Amino acid sequence: MRTITCTEIFPCTPQKLFDALHTPSSVRAWWNAERIIVIPREGGVFTAAWGEHEDDPIHVSSGTYEVFAPPHKIVMVDLKYYAQMGPTMPDAPISITYDISSHSEGAQLKLTHAGFPDDGEGDAYFEGCVQGWKMSLDSLRSYLETATSNP
């Protein structure tokens, strides 16, 4: 199985980073989604939708919180992805893990997006996720820099 791993340092406390990763208004701001629904607990759900038409979204991403341990860890499993066009998610046990720790410059995030088949199935989806995480983490950084400078 293939895995995407990113480690980034953010200018905030671990709690602020944790909150930015699951609070609907925060996620909507840095992920540029139109709608976010979160039930923030183990067994809870995370769903994001893009597209201005609620009855016809451009794409939707959702998962179940297997681990929800503030302010240090979130694990989402049972990931589902719908897109009107573009690559589709392979039928595989794909998960996302956010590990958060203190760092001398703020908070460190280790993101692990795991479970991509390595047999060529879903190559386009995998590459889209690699690029998507680069853009999303840059957006998260900008969001946190603005949020911490305007308390």
Side-chain angles (χ1 to χ4, degrees):
M1 294 291 193
R2 291 181 286 180
T3 300
I4 299 166
T5 304
C6 306
T7 302
E8 300 276 338
I9 309 300
F10 294 92
C12 63
T13 65
Q15 185 66 56
K16 284 190 186 258
L17 177 56
F18 185 90
D19 291 345
L21 294 170
H22 82 278
T23 304
S25 58
S26 298
V27 177
R28 202 170 47 252
W30 66 264
W31 219 12
N32 299 310
E34 271 71 35
R35 287 165 300 289
I36 302 286
I37 298 170
V38 173
I39 307 299
R41 60 176 172 78
E42 291 183 3
V45 297
F46 176 96
T47 301
W50 291 262
E52 62 183 70
H53 300 293
E54 185 173 19
D55 294 334
D56 189 25
I58 294 170
H59 58 274
V60 176
S61 181
S62 68
T64 301
Y65 289 124
E66 181 177 73
V67 176
F68 193 85
H72 298 293
K73 189 171 194 134
I74 295 173
V75 178
M76 286 188 287
V77 297
D78 300 325
L79 294 180
K80 306 289 184 236
Y81 180 76
Y82 161 79
Q84 283 184 357
M85 11 183 220
T88 59
M89 187 171 96
D91 185 19
I94 297 174
S95 64
I96 296 173
T97 300
Y98 299 122
D99 285 302
I100 301 166
S101 57
S102 293
H103 187 276
S104 61
E105 297 175 33
Q108 177 175 291
L109 171 65
K110 180 181 178 191
L111 177 142
T112 307
H113 196 164
F116 298 93
D118 54 10
D119 61 3
E121 179 188 354
D123 283 350
Y125 180 76
F126 177 81
E127 289 304 321
C129 288
V130 169
Q131 295 305 313
W133 279 120
K134 286 178 186 175
M135 291 185 303
S136 294
L137 292 174
D138 285 346
S139 183
L140 176 59
R141 176 176 311 290
S142 294
Y143 170 79
L144 286 167
E145 286 171 350
T146 301
T148 54
S149 66
N150 300 318

